[in-house]
């Protein structure tokens, strides 16, 4: 960056403008994306390390922009949250994922849960529990085949979070704590909240075979989950060595590129669902 007075400032300022413009543009496009069917869901399998069977799939949102190609949820979910579009998008993902799972059940007798990510805003919507209930009724998916992924950072208001989680759990759905270890919440939350599953964040799994600290942290999380009778899944597993270590250390399940990236529903059917009659 040039630092010669006026020019330096101008350079910075035009960059900033560009950034703002880009966001305004994306926001307008995102409004249209819903109507124009540009949103889609990819599914990533979760594998049990004992049986090596698929025990669930996570629904991950994609935006196929007409000019810019695939845009990452890390970029457009924050925009959707700021603009309130998350209401509509969140409900769409939930309905679509439940509908897909119901179809797989009817077509292939494939009885595994689908996990759907909740955003912070969605979690705090007054109508969340009602929405989830309505969508389950509408799609006729049994609640035990829906899992919602929440994060520690949503749980700031303990009393309120506790209330929402009990209501959700009361519907008969499962709850998992996503990105575990990256937030600031106290471990006692785990005892307080009706959480069924802990997802160890990818940042701890990355260097598990080389970094002693990461290994110690992951081993501790696994032991804690086992003791609390929660299931535990490692995210972002990419190598055989990581799988080996996780197996030896009592991790239940894994999710990651080693087995499969998130892929379209049709690919899940082609690669992972064995037809009963062929
Ligand atoms: P997340 O919930 O932690 O999802 C896991 C992310 O890790 C996904 O990125 C997935 O593609 C990626 N991943 C999985 N296995 C591996 C691996 O082995 N290596 C590496 N490097 N990455 C792996 P993705 O799909 O880009 O999603 C990013 C984030 O966007 C998600 O993180 C989640 O926070 C958010 N997101 C995605 N879909 C939704 C949605 O429908 N609603 C909401 N509210 N957020 C969503
Ligand atoms: Ca997730
Ligand atoms: Ca995660
Ligand atoms: Ca994440």
């Amino acid at each position: 960056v040039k630092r010669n007075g006026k020019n330096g400032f101008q350079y910075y300022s035009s960059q900033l403008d560009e950034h703002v413009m880009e966001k305004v543009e994306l926001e307008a496009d995102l409004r249209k994306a819903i109507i124009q069917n540009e949103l889609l869901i990819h599914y990533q399998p979760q594998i049990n390390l004992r049986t090596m069977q698929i025990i669930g799939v996570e629904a991950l949102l994609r935006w196929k922009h007409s000019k810019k190609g695939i845009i990452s949820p890390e970029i457009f979910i924050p925009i959707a949250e700021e603009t309130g579009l998350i209401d509509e998008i969140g409900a769409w993902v939930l309905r679509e994922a439940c509908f897909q799972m119901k179809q797989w059940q009817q077509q292939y007798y494939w009885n595994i849960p689908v996990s759907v990510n909740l955003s912070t805003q969605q979690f705090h919507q007054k109508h969340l529990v009602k929405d989830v209930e309505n969508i389950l009724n509408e799609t006729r998916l049994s609640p035990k085949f829906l899992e919602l992924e929440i994060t520690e950072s949503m749980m700031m208001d303990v009393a309120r979070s506790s209330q929402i989680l009990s209501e959700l759990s009361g519907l008969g759905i499962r709850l998992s704590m996503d990105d575990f270890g990256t937030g600031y919440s106290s471990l006692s939350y785990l005892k307080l909240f009706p959480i069924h599953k802990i997802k160890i964040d990818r940042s701890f799994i990355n260097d598990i075979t080389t970094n002693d600290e990461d290994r110690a942290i992951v081993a501790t999380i696994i032991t804690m989950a086992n003791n609390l009778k929660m299931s535990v899944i490692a995210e972002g597993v990419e190598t055989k060595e990581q799988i080996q270590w996780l197996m030896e250390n009592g991790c239940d399940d894994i999710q990651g590129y080693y087995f499969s990236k998130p892929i379209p529903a049709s690919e899940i059917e082609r690669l992972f669902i064995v037809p009963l009659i062929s």
Side-chain angles (χ1 to χ4, degrees):
V1 181
K2 268 202 219 154
R3 278 206 154 270
N4 50 353
K6 218 175 177 185
N7 271 339
F9 176 72
Q10 269 175 356
Y11 175 72
Y12 173 72
S13 142
S14 73
Q15 266 229 329
L16 197 71
D17 284 351
E18 225 171 81
H19 187 74
V20 172
M21 279 299 293
E22 168 116 8
K23 231 179 105 179
V24 170
E25 219 178 273
L26 276 184
E27 182 188 329
D29 289 352
L30 192 53
R31 283 180 199 282
K32 287 184 278 181
I34 307 167
I35 312 159
Q36 293 171 342
N37 273 324
E38 291 179 357
L39 296 182
L40 55 137
I41 300 178
H42 282 182
Y43 296 88
Q44 188 177 34
Q46 303 177 333
I47 281 84
N48 181 268
L49 283 179
R50 200 171 36 80
T51 63
M52 288 298 164
Q53 305 268 9
I54 298 194
I55 47 91
V57 287
E58 178 175 3
L60 292 154
L61 189 55
R62 299 287 178 268
W63 177 9
K64 208 169 177 183
H65 191 282
S66 53
K67 293 194 197 72
K68 297 188 164 91
I70 298 273
I71 300 180
S72 160
E74 315 238 39
I75 293 174
F76 71 86
I77 294 281
I79 298 176
E81 291 230 84
E82 274 174 47
T83 54
L85 285 169
I86 196 68
D87 250 52
E88 208 177 326
I89 293 175
W92 181 83
V93 175
L94 201 54
R95 185 176 295 109
E96 190 71 14
C98 289
F99 185 70
Q100 180 62 73
M101 192 41 75
K102 182 67 188 184
Q103 260 196 329
W104 281 332
Q105 288 184 348
Q106 287 179 325
Q107 227 177 326
Y108 303 104
Y109 302 97
W110 209 40
N111 289 322
I112 57 166
V114 63
S115 305
V116 177
N117 292 282
L118 285 188
S119 78
T120 306
Q121 294 241 351
Q122 251 181 308
F123 183 73
H124 289 102
Q125 283 164 355
K126 282 203 186 65
H127 48 88
L128 171 69
V129 180
K130 197 81 212 132
D131 278 4
V132 173
E133 205 178 358
N134 286 341
I135 288 170
L136 286 170
N137 284 334
E138 203 182 308
T139 57
R140 311 186 64 74
L141 182 73
S142 159
K144 64 178 178 214
F145 297 117
L146 174 64
E147 181 171 279
L148 293 180
E149 300 199 356
I150 49 170
T151 60
E152 295 159 284
S153 55
M154 300 177 188
M155 309 291 127
M156 295 316 225
D157 180 345
V158 180
R160 168 121 182 83
S161 305
S162 200
Q163 174 68 28
I164 303 169
L165 292 176
S166 324
E167 284 178 31
L168 286 172
S169 178
L171 294 178
I173 65 172
R174 300 163 48 84
L175 297 168
S176 76
M177 191 63 97
D178 202 359
D179 303 342
F180 189 77
T182 60
Y184 293 98
S185 77
S186 138
L187 288 181
S188 64
Y189 287 11
L190 288 179
K191 207 181 73 179
L192 235 55
F193 298 152
I195 302 288
H196 303 94
K197 180 164 157 184
I198 288 176
K199 300 190 80 174
I200 307 174
D201 193 67
R202 184 169 82 227
S203 57
F204 299 111
I205 305 299
N206 272 339
D207 303 321
I208 208 177
T209 50
T210 50
N211 184 302
D212 286 345
E213 279 90 20
D214 285 349
R215 252 202 294 254
I217 291 170
V218 173
T220 305
I221 298 176
I222 294 171
T223 304
M224 183 191 65
N226 286 339
N227 289 341
L228 291 171
K229 307 276 185 291
M230 293 173 184
S231 81
V232 59
I233 181 166
E235 293 191 287
V237 176
E238 295 183 355
T239 68
K240 226 189 193 128
E241 290 71 31
Q242 290 169 335
I243 293 182
Q244 192 61 39
W245 190 92
L246 289 161
M247 262 174 156
E248 282 163 9
N249 286 273
C251 187
D252 300 318
D253 309 317
I254 58 159
Q255 182 180 343
Y257 292 175
Y258 183 81
F259 271 101
S260 172
K261 289 194 170 183
I263 49 178
S266 58
E267 285 293 285
I268 290 278
E269 287 168 23
R270 195 174 66 82
L271 295 169
F272 295 106
I273 307 183
V274 183
L276 290 179
I277 308 150
S278 49

